[in-house]
Amino acid sequence: MTRLPQCALLALLAAAPTLAAQDPLPPLPDSTRWGVHVLAVARDYRGSVWAGTYGRGIYVLRPGAAAWEHLQHDSTPTSIAWDYVHAFGFGRRGQIWYGTIGNGWGVSHDEGRTWRNWTFRELGPEWQYVAPNGIVTRGDTVWVATADGILQTTDDGASWLAMVDSTGPEARGPADTALALLPNEYVRRISAHRRGLLVNTLRGNVLLNATHEGWTVSPMSFAAFPPANSLLVGGIQLKGTACGLRRTSDTLPCLPLRYSRATEPPKELLTSWFRRPADFADNAFIDQTYRYGSTMGGNFQEHQGVEFNNPDGTPVRAIGSGTVVYAGPAEAGALTVAIRHDSVLVRAGSRYRIYSTYYHNSELRVRLGQHVAEGELVARVGNTGRATNDHLHLEVHAAPTDDVRQIVDSTERFPPYTTNPELWLTPLPGTGVVAGLVLNARGQRVRQARIHGLVKPDPIETPFSYIETYGERAHPHPAYGEHFAVGDVPPGSYVLGVEIDGRRVLRHVVVEAGKLSWVVFRP
């Protein structure tokens, strides 16, 4: 009998759970080696399994097939509209519905070969952010939940009914009629209920029920929504994760700890001086798909700020005290407020004035030259300018000048002194910040690199997949000199990984509440 060396025996034991039972589905194709981020998984009436992903479209495993079929957005009008898919619904006559993060939804009547889509052309500057697992079907009725309310159709999208709050949408999109049924039109979850439709909004849960006399609305103090992004296959419960479909019992991180190098301990934050521009009763979470310096995987221009997705009319508040130095239309006509804050940063002999700007508002509530206090109402959320949904775009500038034209200029899309707002805003309670550099072998910063491994559950409406390093138009914070930064990170131990010059580089990072964890990646 051959005796195994201890190291080989330990390796075999570590692999035992994988070897003991075969997964019920074939692995998703993964050319990147970082895993396929699955946002939604569901089974249709014919038995096909549908997986919606972050940035890679839809994968379909049809009955009897040995491999997944890949559906992606392309230039044809009958492809899916967007590759960020986190909702499915199935009609009783074989309809396949899908919903996206930021570009509407679509339906197929031929098992996914061709699609009819509702995007900006049909929807206008609202309705495009479908909620996670936000499509419900019952008979011929389909409900699509979005950040701007719910749209209902009973004829496969030939006509729509909008369900909104008392404020109402600025644009009804495809709907002929809008009913004020919701406590808030920012819908986070929906689910079929034996007595109607269960809806979770920023202002609580309600049960909607259609009767012969009209709609009834019943408040729900507690609502048990079914688990999203999971599926029972062959007696095994699978869940969608950042690294593919895995068993729900599998709690191991996507990246291995043993190949990573530890980073330095977390440090105190230097400039977490400011509050959120949105109240906690509204949506105070930063949009996770389009952070400062990022491009959402190369789909958008490099971002100069961060987004707070909220319905039109939501209060926009000053992040700190200061003087209003701009109030009016700015780039592409966006109603904009700019504040020069009372705070000043001195670093390495240089003095920086700190400004905040608030874009896309539906109305302004301050005037030029007015001094405002922290938390004071300065505007209300809207979608003016180049906006594809109701939201606040916030920028924070650290400028060595008092020239307001360097902060807000209606002809300038990329202001010269923007910095990452996540290094100025106080992190959410109980969370920390991760920031650092990605350098190649020559010590140069790698632009738009994707750093995998960080887990951020909230907000689920805009799921987090990877950190993206800054491009050429973003600027480091004067006190940090970072090349990426992400706030509101839950405390814990993470293994982060990035590819540099064709090599995978891993780092072990510990995050503590109220502190900054600094990470440097180099080959």
Side-chain angles (χ1 to χ4, degrees):
M1 180 177 177
T2 304
R3 187 179 182 86
L4 287 173
Q6 185 178 16
C7 59
L9 180 60
L10 291 174
L12 183 60
L13 290 173
T18 304
L19 298 175
Q22 186 176 357
D23 287 335
L25 298 177
L28 291 164
D30 180 20
S31 58
T32 69
R33 301 184 301 141
W34 295 107
V36 178
H37 192 167
V38 177
L39 302 175
V41 59
R43 183 189 288 107
D44 67 21
Y45 295 122
R46 293 182 175 89
S48 296
V49 176
W50 295 77
T53 72
Y54 188 97
R56 301 202 208 172
I58 297 172
Y59 289 92
V60 188
L61 186 67
R62 305 195 187 275
W68 294 86
E69 179 183 340
H70 195 191
L71 309 177
Q72 284 188 291
H73 165 69
D74 58 34
S75 58
T76 61
T78 57
S79 74
I80 63 172
W82 196 229
D83 288 330
Y84 298 78
V85 177
H86 67 171
F88 289 110
F90 307 107
R92 64 179 180 177
R93 290 179 283 106
Q95 305 99 314
I96 311 294
W97 293 85
Y98 77 96
T100 74
I101 309 164
N103 204 40
W105 63 86
V107 64
S108 174
H109 295 272
D110 54 11
E111 301 185 45
R113 295 178 181 86
T114 60
W115 300 87
R116 178 189 177 186
N117 299 307
W118 287 264
T119 60
F120 186 83
R121 185 180 64 180
E122 295 81 13
L123 302 174
E126 295 191 352
W127 305 104
Q128 297 187 67
Y129 276 73
V130 178
N133 205 30
I135 299 178
V136 170
T137 62
R138 174 174 285 172
D140 289 328
T141 303
V142 179
W143 294 277
V144 181
T146 78
D148 301 290
I150 299 172
L151 284 170
Q152 172 189 292
T153 182
T154 57
D155 50 19
D156 288 346
S159 61
W160 296 88
L161 167 71
M163 302 175 181
V164 295
D165 60 16
S166 57
T167 302
E170 293 178 322
R172 288 182 178 175
D176 299 318
T177 305
L179 301 179
L181 301 175
L182 305 177
N184 186 272
E185 66 185 39
Y186 194 102
V187 180
R188 306 189 71 182
R189 296 284 300 276
I190 63 171
S191 176
H193 188 277
R194 58 184 175 81
R195 292 192 291 119
L197 184 69
L198 191 59
V199 183
N200 169 245
T201 77
L202 286 177
R203 302 294 185 188
N205 303 317
V206 292
L207 180 66
L208 304 182
N209 187 31
T211 68
H212 294 296
E213 292 75 28
W215 287 88
T216 64
V217 182
S218 306
M220 300 286 286
S221 59
F222 174 80
F225 287 86
N229 199 15
S230 67
L231 185 69
L232 185 65
V233 181
I236 298 174
Q237 194 76 27
L238 299 177
K239 62 180 177 180
T241 72
C243 47
L245 285 168
R246 302 174 66 173
R247 298 165 184 245
T248 54
S249 59
D250 186 352
T251 57
L252 294 175
C254 293
L255 301 178
L257 176 63
R258 62 182 179 277
Y259 298 123
S260 63
R261 180 183 300 174
T263 58
E264 55 191 77
K267 299 179 179 179
E268 297 297 327
L269 291 163
L270 300 176
T271 57
S272 56
W273 297 344
F274 300 115
R275 59 155 283 161
R276 306 267 154 158
D279 290 333
F280 286 107
D282 296 310
N283 182 32
F285 288 107
I286 292 170
D287 183 322
Q288 304 199 93
T289 61
Y290 196 28
R291 310 186 94 91
Y292 178 78
S294 74
T295 62
M296 198 174 179
N299 287 279
F300 299 135
Q301 69 178 37
E302 190 177 342
H303 208 193
Q304 300 300 290
V306 293
E307 317 278 47
F308 291 86
N309 294 317
N310 274 285
D312 54 276
T314 301
V316 175
R317 303 193 181 278
I319 64 172
S321 63
T323 302
V324 176
V325 294
Y326 191 96
E331 199 263 326
L335 290 180
T336 303
V337 171
I339 298 171
R340 182 172 60 230
H341 291 287
D342 299 331
S343 307
V344 175
L345 176 67
V346 178
R347 191 72 178 179
S350 297
R351 184 173 181 268
Y352 299 90
R353 298 304 304 261
I354 311 304
Y355 298 79
S356 59
T357 53
Y358 312 76
Y359 284 87
H360 304 310
N361 302 289
S362 59
E363 62 174 304
L364 307 182
R365 302 298 296 269
V366 291
R367 64 185 184 278
L368 189 66
Q370 178 180 342
H371 190 273
V372 296
E374 176 184 309
E376 188 169 338
L377 178 69
V378 298
R380 292 192 180 273
V381 168
N383 54 46
T384 57
R386 289 184 307 107
T388 57
N389 70 300
D390 292 331
H391 72 282
L392 167 67
H393 170 96
L394 172 72
E395 295 178 0
V396 177
H397 308 245
T401 177
D402 286 327
D403 184 358
V404 178
R405 293 172 300 176
Q406 300 294 307
I407 309 303
V408 181
D409 186 337
S410 62
T411 65
E412 177 56 58
R413 185 174 292 186
F414 300 100
Y417 299 115
T418 61
T419 58
N420 195 329
E422 300 196 59
L423 292 172
W424 298 94
L425 299 175
T426 301
L428 292 174
T431 69
V433 179
V434 176
L437 301 167
V438 176
L439 307 174
N440 62 22
R442 297 173 297 282
Q444 300 167 327
R445 300 184 178 204
V446 182
R447 295 175 179 169
Q448 311 301 168
R450 299 181 185 182
I451 305 170
H452 301 266
L454 200 64
V455 177
K456 293 185 81 267
D458 293 312
I460 58 173
E461 305 93 289
T462 55
F464 181 84
S465 188
Y466 48 76
I467 303 168
E468 195 173 348
T469 60
Y470 304 159
E472 61 180 3
R473 297 185 182 277
H475 315 101
H477 187 292
Y480 291 110
E482 86 293 345
H483 193 38
F484 68 86
V486 174
D488 304 337
V489 180
S493 177
Y494 301 90
V495 177
L496 308 186
V498 65
E499 184 172 312
I500 305 174
D501 299 332
R503 294 180 55 187
R504 289 161 64 94
V505 181
L506 305 182
R507 293 290 182 266
H508 177 216
V509 182
V510 174
V511 177
E512 295 182 9
K515 295 186 178 181
L516 181 138
S517 299
W518 183 258
V519 191
V520 177
F521 296 90
R522 57 167 57 92

